[in-house]
Amino acid sequence: MKCIHCGRTSLLRERTRGRCPGCGHRFAFDPAARPGAGTDAEFQEAIDRVSGGGQLWFTARQLWLAVNAPRTIPPPPSTTGPSVLFALGFALPGMILALFEPGLLIMAVLGGLAGAAIGAGAARDETLKYADQLTPRLPFNVFLSHQLTPWQEVHGDIPGLLPVRGGEVAGEPRQVPADMAALSVDRVVVTDRWQTARMLVANRFHLQHDCAVLSRDGYPKGVADTIREMLRRTPGLTVFALHDASIDGCQLPLGLREPEWFPDPSVRIVDLGLRPETVMRLRLPPIIDKDTTSWSERLGELLPYEDRQWLDVGNVYELAALPSEQVMRAVYEGMAAAGRDNGSGRAPAYDGAHWAGVADGFRPLAGGGADTAVVAGSG
């Protein structure tokens, strides 16, 4: 196991009381003592990846997926193939015999039914195997107690990691922030998760791109309603929906037309979120969510059949699976492509092109980048 402090690789018998034999620093994880938790080097590499080398703020959920999410995409399960094959295999002998003895036709029917039942069982096994391959190594709550806490106890606080207390962000303001009140904005990014919104604000995305940031579930806590009312009175407002590729996430743009949000048809609502078609095109490995939300009729009409089929299996791809830099860059490019409201109130059709750079990590912009933010730990 490699030490993140001195770089020495040591064997189990060389490590005394969980310390590096080279420099004496403690290890947070030891595969022999805590199987499945990984190693210190793997955890540090994940921190570097999600924080852009220590330059950006990120969430615990981003770190969880960086450490525990699957890295490859298994073949999708076949839900009909096994049933058809087994049904034909069991029915075919009876059908052949029935050509010579019609009374044996019942054998073919019973054989087909038995084969279909066996095939259905095989299909269920395929689905379970697929789900196991796409299930994060540890659940999020277990990650907090068995990976994040031990790491912090040994190595200290992680620069750039946004604090979390239960379902709330610690230290949130109880009034409209001064920098938000000072902005005269005609654009707002609304996210499906407060964690995504908090990451954008912490990295000063709202200041760099002259926009407000809210979440569907009430970020910033205590002042979200006030900011939303301010935005409703803004002429030429454009709302950008940023969400996971999930049933619940893909319903966000539709929900933003509800009376409590922006029902005025003159307000443009632009979908900048992830959709299944984009995830599949970029070959991003999803995770399986066994507690999926039920479909809404409008969403079923909006998404193509391939997207609905992908979601029906339980597939989900969270924005948190991407480093902060990539999320902010994609949102910036999507906002730039959508442009300002020209008075028509019409939003551009969804094409997901702003996510294309995820596949190669986005090449940096000349002279820095629109998504370069404050150094983690400052500001």
Side-chain angles (χ1 to χ4, degrees):
M1 194 163 63
K2 187 176 182 179
C3 176
I4 64 172
H5 296 283
C6 69
R8 175 170 173 171
T9 300
S10 60
L11 300 175
L12 175 61
R13 65 174 179 268
E14 298 177 300
R15 298 191 291 274
T16 304
R17 297 190 304 277
R19 294 183 180 274
C20 171
C23 64
H25 278 98
R26 284 178 57 199
F27 288 101
F29 313 118
D30 193 322
R34 197 189 293 265
T39 67
D40 289 40
E42 291 172 348
F43 205 87
Q44 183 63 60
E45 191 276 332
I47 293 172
D48 292 341
R49 186 164 67 249
V50 298
S51 67
Q55 297 299 306
L56 297 170
W57 293 91
F58 59 96
T59 69
R61 201 165 183 89
Q62 286 176 284
L63 185 55
W64 165 59
L65 289 173
V67 173
N68 291 286
R71 295 282 177 264
T72 58
I73 308 173
S78 174
T79 56
T80 57
S83 296
V84 173
L85 290 176
F86 276 96
L88 288 175
F90 277 71
L92 192 57
M95 294 170 64
I96 294 174
L97 292 174
L99 294 175
F100 304 99
E101 181 57 58
L104 297 177
L105 183 61
I106 187 64
M107 180 194 297
V109 174
L110 293 175
L113 292 174
I118 295 173
R124 283 194 299 271
D125 291 342
E126 278 195 34
T127 301
L128 291 173
K129 181 179 178 182
Y130 176 80
D132 287 342
Q133 290 175 297
L134 290 180
T135 299
R137 184 169 53 177
L138 293 178
F140 179 64
N141 289 337
V142 177
F143 158 78
L144 294 177
S145 60
H146 285 64
Q147 288 181 315
L148 182 58
T149 298
W151 175 274
Q152 292 174 321
E153 289 174 348
V154 172
H155 299 297
D157 291 339
I158 302 173
L161 176 63
L162 290 166
V164 177
R165 293 178 182 170
E168 300 182 0
V169 176
E172 287 298 9
R174 292 294 182 262
Q175 59 185 6
V176 178
D179 53 8
M180 182 70 73
L183 289 176
S184 177
V185 299
D186 58 4
R187 302 185 297 180
V188 56
V189 176
V190 181
T191 67
D192 58 338
R193 294 177 183 266
W194 63 262
Q195 294 97 328
T196 307
R198 184 65 180 93
M199 180 273 291
L200 294 176
V201 171
N203 287 304
R204 300 184 181 275
F205 185 90
H206 61 303
L207 296 177
Q208 293 175 350
H209 303 298
D210 194 23
C211 65
V213 176
L214 299 172
S215 78
R216 176 175 56 188
D217 49 2
Y219 177 87
K221 185 176 176 61
V223 296
D225 291 344
T226 302
I227 295 174
R228 187 167 57 197
E229 288 301 321
M230 293 168 55
L231 291 167
R232 282 178 178 170
R233 298 191 293 269
T234 302
L237 179 67
T238 298
V239 180
F240 296 97
L242 180 61
H243 57 81
D244 299 338
S246 65
I247 294 177
D248 193 47
C250 290
Q251 293 182 139
L252 176 64
L254 300 174
L256 293 178
R257 281 297 185 200
E258 296 297 328
E260 65 269 22
W261 282 96
F262 305 104
D264 186 343
S266 68
V267 174
R268 284 200 312 167
I269 296 180
V270 180
D271 189 353
L272 294 187
L274 284 167
R275 287 191 185 181
E277 63 181 270
T278 306
V279 174
M280 289 186 282
R281 184 170 67 247
L282 297 176
R283 295 196 56 76
L284 301 174
I287 62 174
I288 289 292
D289 183 1
K290 298 176 182 177
D291 300 317
T292 53
T293 309
S294 59
W295 285 93
S296 72
E297 183 177 345
R298 287 190 299 165
L299 182 61
E301 296 171 353
L302 174 68
L303 296 180
Y305 172 76
E306 292 78 10
D307 282 20
R308 300 197 302 272
Q309 188 178 43
W310 187 87
L311 291 168
D312 278 338
V313 178
N315 286 315
V316 168
Y317 192 86
E318 294 188 17
L319 290 167
L322 298 172
S324 299
E325 183 178 12
Q326 292 190 5
V327 175
M328 291 191 291
R329 177 63 180 270
V331 178
Y332 159 73
E333 292 194 353
M335 292 172 68
R340 300 278 180 171
D341 187 7
N342 60 8
S344 67
R346 290 196 297 269
Y350 182 90
D351 62 10
H354 52 291
W355 293 106
V358 167
D360 59 12
F362 284 111
R363 290 183 298 274
L365 293 175
D371 51 356
T372 300
V374 296
V375 176
S378 66

